Amino acid sequence: MTIKDPLADEGDSTEENCPICLSPFRDKKSLNCKHEFCKRCLQKAEENYGPICPVCRKVFGIIQGDQPDGRMTWTRSSGQVPGFSNCGIITIIYSIPDGRQTEKHPKPGHCYTGTTKTAYIPGNKEGNEVLKLLKKAFDQKLIFTIMASNITGFKTRVTWNDIHHKTSLYGGPDSYGYPDPTYLSRVKEELKAKGIE
């Protein structure tokens, strides 16, 4: 009597099924990460979650956020970011004016309250790399979003999205400040998760 190994053809049984609908592929599409999906399943996933592989979360296109129009400027100055010596300070100023929500926002046609935010990064090589990545993320409208704020009482306002910034030079991570030796590598990972590299 031959006993069949239940794991022997486990890969064969699923390799012709879409990992989203679990049915045989229809108009199969392959991503750069090598994961495959039905064309329609992939389109629906992209509509709901953006151009991100549903299996490995690798970005396969350009993610566009819903950040309202605004400006990002920066200056360089002498001084020192705690934990980073002799490299100066890059001060970023984000300015998003008040405006009216579009179809991308929670309440199209309603007004929102803008914001002005200041952030700091060290002026070293890695800090300059992060500055370029943050500018790319800002241009793709990923730094801010519009949402209700329970803290301020405003119904809808511009607020940070999920890319962390240092809004203080001091106080450490608990105060959104420095020193924080892993901040630059962490923010690069957050940006990479949105396809910014």
Side-chain angles (χ1 to χ4, degrees):
M1 175 177 192
T2 304
I3 299 174
K4 186 175 179 181
D5 180 354
L7 301 177
D9 48 32
E10 183 178 284
D12 295 339
S13 64
T14 59
E15 75 180 23
E16 288 305 314
N17 288 337
C18 171
I20 295 175
C21 68
L22 305 178
S23 298
F25 287 110
R26 288 187 181 168
D27 197 8
K28 189 190 311 186
K29 290 290 183 184
S30 296
L31 300 178
N32 288 341
C33 59
K34 308 295 184 212
H35 292 115
E36 299 173 326
F37 307 91
C38 298
K39 180 179 179 180
R40 186 167 168 81
C41 291
L42 186 59
Q43 286 171 337
K44 283 186 173 186
E46 187 174 358
E47 286 169 16
N48 290 320
Y49 305 107
I52 300 170
C53 174
V55 173
C56 68
R57 310 297 299 159
K58 185 167 177 64
V59 175
F60 62 85
I62 295 175
I63 297 175
Q64 284 288 333
D66 64 358
Q67 169 186 294
D69 291 336
R71 292 182 54 203
M72 174 186 175
T73 58
W74 59 90
T75 58
R76 299 172 191 277
S77 61
S78 59
Q80 187 170 310
V81 173
F84 297 89
S85 58
N86 303 319
C87 61
I89 302 167
I90 299 171
T91 302
I92 303 169
I93 298 175
Y94 297 105
S95 181
I96 310 280
D98 296 350
R100 195 168 295 278
Q101 296 182 57
T102 69
E103 66 281 348
K104 294 180 180 181
H105 300 126
K107 294 186 174 182
H110 288 75
C111 294
Y112 62 82
T113 303
T115 192
T116 299
K117 299 282 189 188
T118 303
Y120 304 95
I121 51 178
N124 63 5
K125 181 180 178 186
E126 190 175 20
N128 280 287
E129 290 170 12
V130 167
L131 176 63
K132 288 178 185 174
L133 296 173
L134 289 172
K135 174 65 170 131
K136 189 173 178 184
F138 186 83
D139 291 343
Q140 288 179 217
K141 301 184 174 292
L142 298 170
I143 301 286
F144 294 95
T145 190
I146 294 176
M147 64 183 349
S149 175
N150 296 331
I151 297 169
T152 63
F154 288 107
K155 290 189 178 178
T156 50
R157 69 173 298 123
V158 175
T159 187
W160 294 110
N161 210 340
D162 52 1
I163 297 169
H164 290 88
H165 284 70
K166 292 296 185 183
T167 55
S168 174
L169 282 171
Y170 308 103
D174 291 341
S175 298
Y176 309 105
Y178 295 94
D180 186 347
T182 62
Y183 168 68
L184 294 174
S185 58
R186 287 195 328 267
V187 78
K188 285 196 290 188
E189 284 302 312
E190 291 171 355
L191 290 159
K192 184 177 180 181
K194 296 193 173 290
I196 308 289
E197 31 185 348

